Amino acid sequence: MAARGQLAKVSEEEQEIRNNLARFKQFEDRGMAGAEKRLEWIEALAAIRQKRRLFQVQYNLDPQRAVDYPGVAEDQKGGGAIFIANRVKLDLSLLHEEDLLNFLADLSASAGSFASLRSCSITRTERGGAAGGPLRPRLRANCVIDLITLKARDKT
């Protein structure tokens, strides 16, 4: 009976390891595993700005920290890997709302992280205006995004 119990426990642990490896492989395939990729993120922001012809994209990239989402912190206790987030504060000058939606979609599609939108506010920078005048930003968006990666836990 004891041997069967141990065998069942080993089989259960083996299945759990296989499931965790499959999930880790998904993170790896998306480029989310490993060291933070600050330079790649900055280059992605610049590329999106150029591709979408946005007026202005300013950002502030905070230092990395452990993810503080409900449920995730408890799951990370004692594990071999942890989720790390870099908070990015964005200030965007936009012609219209779709510019923001396209920017966020492009950021989510870029490899190297999972972009989690924490908050976003849009304000109008002008009311009315001359018809047929030059194109200029009419909206300002302030957003907070967490760029999340999976990192091996330090052995110290």
Side-chain angles (χ1 to χ4, degrees):
M1 289 289 268
R4 285 185 188 162
Q6 286 179 334
L7 181 60
K9 183 177 178 184
V10 167
S11 295
E12 186 178 305
E13 288 174 354
E14 180 184 9
Q15 186 60 41
E16 184 179 341
I17 290 170
R18 288 180 195 269
N19 292 342
N20 289 340
L21 284 174
R23 272 191 252 148
F24 184 78
K25 178 73 172 126
Q26 291 172 339
F27 289 125
E28 227 176 17
D29 291 345
R30 178 127 192 242
M32 290 176 55
E36 66 177 337
K37 299 170 177 73
R38 291 173 84 85
L39 182 58
E40 288 88 348
W41 295 331
I42 292 168
E43 289 173 347
L45 292 173
I48 294 168
R49 179 187 179 270
Q50 185 175 9
K51 173 185 171 185
R52 295 294 178 178
R53 297 181 182 172
L54 299 176
F55 292 100
Q56 180 181 16
V57 175
Q58 293 180 329
Y59 58 88
N60 184 19
L61 187 60
D62 291 349
Q64 68 181 14
R65 59 177 171 61
V67 168
D68 61 356
Y69 295 146
V72 175
E74 295 82 27
D75 290 346
Q76 296 188 116
K77 291 178 182 168
I82 57 173
F83 288 98
I84 299 294
N86 288 85
R87 184 147 296 162
V88 181
K89 296 172 185 144
L90 294 168
D91 183 16
L92 305 146
S93 296
L94 310 167
L95 183 60
H96 51 79
E97 297 86 351
E98 188 176 17
D99 287 341
L100 176 61
L101 297 174
N102 289 334
F103 179 88
L104 295 173
D106 290 349
L107 186 60
S108 285
S110 66
S113 66
F114 173 76
S116 175
L117 182 63
R118 298 287 283 206
S119 66
C120 212
S121 65
I122 301 174
T123 56
R124 186 173 300 280
T125 56
E126 71 173 51
R127 302 228 182 247
L135 286 179
R136 60 185 173 269
R138 301 193 189 301
L139 302 171
R140 177 161 302 282
N142 292 296
C143 300
V144 177
I145 297 172
D146 283 344
L147 297 173
I148 301 172
T149 56
L150 185 63
K151 177 182 170 186
R153 188 179 298 277
D154 293 333
K155 303 284 186 212
T156 58

